[in-house]
Amino acid sequence: MVWFIVGACVLALVILALTVTILRFNQLSMARSLCDEAKRQLLVELRGRHALVPAYIGTLQQITTRDLSSVELALASAQRAPFGPRGAAAENALTRTIDEAAQIPSQISDRAIAADSTLAMQTGPREELDTTIALLHGQLNVLAERILAGARIYNTNVDLYHRQRERAVSRLFKNVFKAREPFTETDQERSSAEAEPQDQFGASNRTGSAGS
């Protein structure tokens, strides 16, 4: 009778342990899926903005001969940056250059347009271009807000996922459920993102000087 009770207790403990393990595995799997889905949605917004920036640059170039290479370089950096802190820093740098470029139309006076533009434009075409630039910038701002919101959702899911990975039973599956990088800018990545376009531009200038 004693052995029967002991055996029943051991069996109950084994069943409980298996149940807890299976539940933890399922929770980790769900948390990981939420992270991956949030990342997928964030990438959609990032690619949408990347696809719209060339049209924004092209429209700006119709009203000015100013150098827009900073926007082009920021876009290139954002497109090739790995997902994570470096990608977040590159996206923030792209947002800054887009907003700076949006100030160009207001800085060009009507008298300066004829000297600054490749073609002398009448008031009507200029107003249409200004409207187009404002609309494109507005769309880019909307996408920037969506990216910020998507990053917050993704980072929240990553934080919850990492907390679950640190629990006692979850540590058994650490090799199965890998960590996810947050999409947030660090001070180091911010400095790198700001310096990289300058370094690239400086390198292109040095190359051009050497060629000439």
Side-chain angles (χ1 to χ4, degrees):
M1 185 66 178
V2 175
W3 288 109
F4 176 78
I5 295 174
V6 172
C9 290
V10 171
L11 180 61
L13 288 174
V14 170
I15 293 174
L16 178 62
L18 286 174
T19 302
V20 171
T21 302
I22 292 172
L23 286 175
R24 179 59 60 207
F25 185 92
N26 289 338
Q27 288 174 345
L28 283 168
S29 180
M30 182 177 295
R32 183 179 62 181
S33 297
L34 289 173
C35 290
D36 293 343
E37 177 60 22
K39 178 180 178 178
R40 186 192 67 79
Q41 294 181 5
L42 178 55
L43 287 173
V44 169
E45 301 295 349
L46 291 173
R47 289 166 183 162
R49 180 162 80 154
H50 296 169
L52 188 59
V53 172
Y56 179 66
I57 295 173
T59 307
L60 279 171
Q61 287 176 334
Q62 295 184 52
I63 67 168
T64 182
T65 57
R66 293 189 187 183
D67 184 14
L68 298 175
S69 61
S70 60
V71 186
E72 295 171 344
L73 288 172
L75 174 61
S77 296
Q79 288 175 325
R80 68 170 179 267
F83 189 88
R86 288 182 60 188
E91 291 299 332
N92 287 337
L94 177 59
T95 298
R96 289 192 293 270
T97 58
I98 287 172
D99 290 341
E100 289 169 2
Q103 304 301 317
I104 291 176
S106 62
Q107 295 170 356
I108 302 175
S109 65
D110 291 338
R111 181 175 297 179
I113 293 173
D116 195 41
S117 301
T118 55
L119 295 174
M121 295 182 296
Q122 298 177 354
T123 303
R126 170 61 199 274
E127 290 178 351
E128 291 177 1
L129 285 173
D130 285 347
T131 301
T132 302
I133 292 170
L135 289 173
L136 287 171
H137 186 238
Q139 292 176 13
L140 289 169
N141 282 338
V142 170
L143 287 171
E145 291 298 325
R146 289 180 180 175
I147 289 169
L148 288 174
R152 284 194 294 269
I153 294 172
Y154 171 76
N155 290 332
T156 298
N157 286 325
V158 168
D159 184 56
L160 293 173
Y161 173 57
H162 286 172
R163 288 182 186 179
Q164 291 196 18
R165 288 180 74 250
E166 293 303 319
R167 294 179 180 177
V169 178
S170 300
R171 294 175 185 176
L172 297 172
F173 309 114
K174 274 199 169 183
N175 291 331
V176 177
F177 296 97
K178 303 294 185 181
R180 294 290 187 265
E181 272 199 300
F183 193 78
T184 181
E185 183 179 17
T186 63
D187 292 338
Q188 181 179 359
E189 298 302 337
R190 182 183 299 111
S191 300
S192 299
E194 292 174 352
E196 185 177 358
Q198 296 175 1
D199 291 344
Q200 291 179 353
F201 185 63
S204 64
N205 281 342
R206 287 192 294 272
T207 303
S209 299
S212 58

